[in-house]
Amino acid sequence: MKYSEISHFSHPEHQLTYDYTQIPFKCDGCNEPGIGSHYRCTTCNHDLHVHCALPSLSISHPFYTRCTFQFLASPPGSAPRYCNACQKDISGFVYHCKTCGFDLHPCCAKLPAMLDDGEVKLYLCKKVGSACHKCGKKGRSWSYRSTCKKYNLHVACAKEMLAESWYDIYYCGARIGEYGDYGPYGNDMYGQKPQNWKLEMNFPSLKGTLQSYHKRGPKRKGKLKKCCQIAGLAVKFVISAILGDPTTLIAGVVGALLSK
């Protein structure tokens, strides 16, 4: 359910307004990146994923049928905790199963079971027997697998690809101390973007990793090209889902960022 304006315990000073941005932001709830639909306090630059702004008090997940995950504002205990979906650290809002000790980032907990752009369908799997086309390894984290079962991408690898360029994305290519009047959203004090404003996402190409899965030769070029196309579609849709807005529109924005 979408509300135009909400109150939230993480920011009691002001109301948060439903907003939409094509510029990535850092969620002040889970401390993970986001894009697209979110809730924002424009006065304080306080941003929350929709999943973090309107969480369920408790959820179940098909991968953990015996678990009940409770929403917590911070990870329990003093020991470091990691997300069972993406294997990354948890430092903010979390869904936690007290019985089993499992944890999920809010956006990871809400990852769609299937991503479909009309050309490629990707299914979320807890574990796959085939290697990830990014890291070449099995296991490790949840994965998205293509219908043909020939393409796999770890959620963890997609997050790493995002993290590698997060600094450039979030700060619009600016360096620390060089903001001037420009903020992390790339706007000046009047809300206008500077002439040299740009977003850079230097995502590693999957072509090199894909080549190791296909024998070289003229008969294999078509297969490699098709697999690379699937890889490109998979990356932008998986990353858009990880960012909290698994829509075709946001996938298109991510695709544009990927081409930079």
Side-chain angles (χ1 to χ4, degrees):
M1 184 178 294
K2 182 178 75 176
Y3 301 93
S4 60
E5 197 171 70
I6 64 170
S7 298
H8 199 273
F9 69 86
S10 68
H11 191 68
E13 298 89 347
H14 305 102
Q15 293 282 96
L16 301 182
T17 304
Y18 180 81
D19 195 12
Y20 174 89
T21 178
Q22 293 184 353
I23 300 174
F25 61 86
K26 181 180 179 181
C27 176
D28 291 293
C30 65
N31 295 317
E32 292 289 297
I35 196 173
S37 303
H38 67 298
Y39 282 87
R40 174 171 174 79
C41 172
T42 55
T43 303
C44 304
N45 293 331
H46 187 88
D47 300 281
L48 293 176
H49 291 117
V50 172
H51 297 319
C52 292
L54 301 172
S56 303
L57 294 180
S58 65
I59 63 169
S60 57
H61 198 281
F63 290 169
Y64 303 101
T65 56
R66 297 181 180 179
C67 294
T68 298
F69 292 89
Q70 304 292 329
F71 178 80
L72 302 177
S74 60
S78 57
R81 306 194 71 84
Y82 69 93
C83 175
N84 286 85
C86 68
Q87 305 297 309
K88 303 302 179 184
D89 292 340
I90 290 175
S91 60
F93 293 177
V94 60
Y95 280 105
H96 173 72
C97 177
K98 184 177 181 180
T99 303
C100 302
F102 294 148
D103 298 284
L104 297 172
H105 288 122
C107 285
C108 288
K110 301 298 179 68
L111 283 173
M114 183 185 73
L115 296 172
D116 182 8
D117 76 331
E119 292 185 59
V120 176
K121 290 184 179 180
L122 300 165
Y123 294 89
L124 185 63
C125 303
K126 183 179 179 182
K127 185 181 292 186
V128 295
S130 302
C132 169
H133 278 81
K134 172 61 173 65
C135 68
K137 300 177 181 178
K138 300 179 183 180
R140 189 182 184 194
S141 80
W142 295 0
S143 300
Y144 272 101
R145 169 186 277 187
S146 61
T147 307
C148 64
K149 299 183 180 181
K150 293 181 179 179
Y151 176 76
N152 303 300
L153 178 65
H154 285 140
V155 171
C157 288
K159 273 204 168 183
E160 286 178 5
M161 294 166 74
L162 176 63
E164 287 171 2
S165 296
W166 175 245
Y167 181 87
D168 287 333
I169 302 165
Y170 185 63
Y171 292 107
C172 303
R175 296 180 181 177
I176 293 177
E178 295 182 352
Y179 279 121
D181 292 327
Y182 303 113
Y185 272 73
N187 298 329
D188 64 13
M189 65 179 70
Y190 304 105
Q192 301 297 317
K193 291 182 173 58
Q195 293 298 315
N196 62 348
W197 180 84
K198 64 179 180 177
L199 289 175
E200 294 186 5
M201 293 181 78
N202 301 315
F203 283 79
S205 170
L206 291 183
K207 187 173 181 179
T209 56
L210 286 167
Q211 285 177 340
S212 64
Y213 290 87
H214 301 279
K215 295 179 180 179
R216 295 182 180 181
K219 294 182 179 180
R220 297 288 180 175
K221 289 183 179 180
K223 186 175 182 181
L224 176 59
K225 182 179 180 181
K226 179 62 176 178
C227 203
C228 286
Q229 291 174 346
I230 294 175
L233 289 170
V235 167
K236 68 181 184 180
F237 269 89
V238 173
I239 288 179
S240 67
I242 288 171
L243 289 171
D245 197 337
T247 64
T248 302
L249 180 59
I250 280 298
V253 172
V254 171
L257 295 173
L258 287 171
S259 66
K260 294 292 183 178

